[in-house]
Amino acid sequence: PNRDIFHISPVEAKDPGQMVTIRVPELKGVFIVRDFAGDPKYEEKKNFQYAVQINGRKVEVTFKDGEVIVGSTFCFSSDGLGFFLFPCDPNCNTQRVFVVNEAVQWVRTL
């Protein structure tokens, strides 16, 4: 979480050793998901009513592109590259997000 780059091997790569360099400051976030396809019809809940377990500080993150994610974080800081966020909706496709601070418009504590 404190490096400017990381490498991934694309799922569709012909050569399993093929790596792509990702520059973190150019991203909105790194979304760790259950399924790459997801369910485009699913509407993610933006409150803690259905949360199974809540650890850390409850926050609402608004990205510069207008997307809003509600969840909890252990270590929010506007300093540094970013922070991890765990969505409040236990049924959404996203398990956690490394939120890149450069892409954030504001963070509100709930």
Side-chain angles (χ1 to χ4, degrees):
N2 37 356
R3 293 188 183 203
D4 285 348
I5 63 168
F6 66 94
H7 300 87
I8 61 170
S9 179
V11 173
E12 68 276 354
K14 293 180 173 127
D15 174 12
Q18 178 185 352
M19 300 300 269
V20 176
T21 300
I22 306 295
R23 295 191 39 72
V24 176
E26 296 173 1
L27 301 176
K28 172 179 176 174
V30 178
F31 292 73
I32 313 304
V33 297
R34 290 174 172 60
D35 181 344
F36 287 127
D39 180 359
K41 294 178 277 180
Y42 183 78
E43 291 188 32
E44 186 175 332
K45 292 160 187 67
K46 305 288 186 187
N47 61 55
F48 288 88
Q49 179 181 356
Y50 303 101
V52 177
Q53 182 177 359
I54 303 164
N55 294 314
R57 185 183 331 174
K58 296 178 188 177
V59 295
E60 176 185 84
V61 175
T62 302
F63 290 96
K64 291 178 181 175
D65 68 1
E67 181 180 0
V68 175
I69 299 179
V70 176
S72 61
T73 182
F74 290 108
C75 57
F76 167 70
S77 173
S78 57
D79 298 330
L81 201 52
F83 60 96
F84 281 99
L85 178 98
F86 299 87
C88 64
D89 183 348
N91 299 314
C92 74
N93 191 42
T94 305
Q95 293 179 307
R96 68 184 172 276
V97 182
F98 180 75
V99 176
V100 177
N101 281 332
E102 278 295 314
V104 173
Q105 185 169 347
W106 66 76
V107 175
R108 181 171 69 105
T109 301
L110 301 176

